[in-house]
Amino acid sequence: MCNDVGEGSRCCAFYSAIGALFTLWVGMMIHTQPFYIGGLKSDAQAQTSAFGAMGMFVFTFLASLCGIYYDSHFKKEPLPAENGDAAEGYQLSKGDVTSYGTSS
């Protein structure tokens, strides 16, 4: 699944975007309606923690975007000649091909 920098960065970008949205929602819920969330000892501390977690998710998202950019611009793909898969000397065989109704 995550074989190179680009795939890993896409996975992390998706995960961190969802995480940032979720922690933003939690922080806004704590700010506007803390009475709906039971067990909070300090609303201000919980809100600070939620927005701090959102900041970490945003940082991870930005780092993932840098990884996607790096992978798309600096990834070296092997040339066919380096692998021995050169297409210059390749020809299709005409021997065992059926004509399917053509007149030749």
Side-chain angles (χ1 to χ4, degrees):
M1 182 172 136
C2 296
N3 296 332
D4 62 353
V5 174
E7 289 181 18
S9 295
R10 285 180 196 85
C11 180
C12 285
F14 177 73
Y15 177 79
S16 60
I18 299 299
L21 289 175
F22 177 73
T23 51
L24 174 67
W25 177 75
V26 169
M28 294 304 295
M29 283 293 294
I30 292 171
H31 176 71
T32 57
Q33 301 172 340
F35 48 87
Y36 283 124
I37 302 173
L40 294 179
K41 293 180 182 176
S42 171
D43 297 344
Q45 183 182 7
Q47 182 180 356
T48 303
S49 296
F51 287 131
M54 185 192 76
M56 293 302 291
F57 277 118
V58 168
F59 173 76
T60 305
F61 181 75
L62 294 175
S64 299
L65 290 181
C66 290
I68 292 169
Y69 175 80
Y70 175 81
D71 186 61
S72 66
H73 288 295
F74 299 110
K75 184 177 183 180
K76 181 181 177 186
E77 296 181 10
L79 297 175
E82 292 176 359
N83 291 342
D85 297 334
E88 290 87 27
Y90 183 76
Q91 294 180 354
L92 292 175
S93 172
K94 290 194 84 162
D96 297 328
V97 179
T98 58
S99 61
Y100 293 112
T102 59
S103 60
S104 56

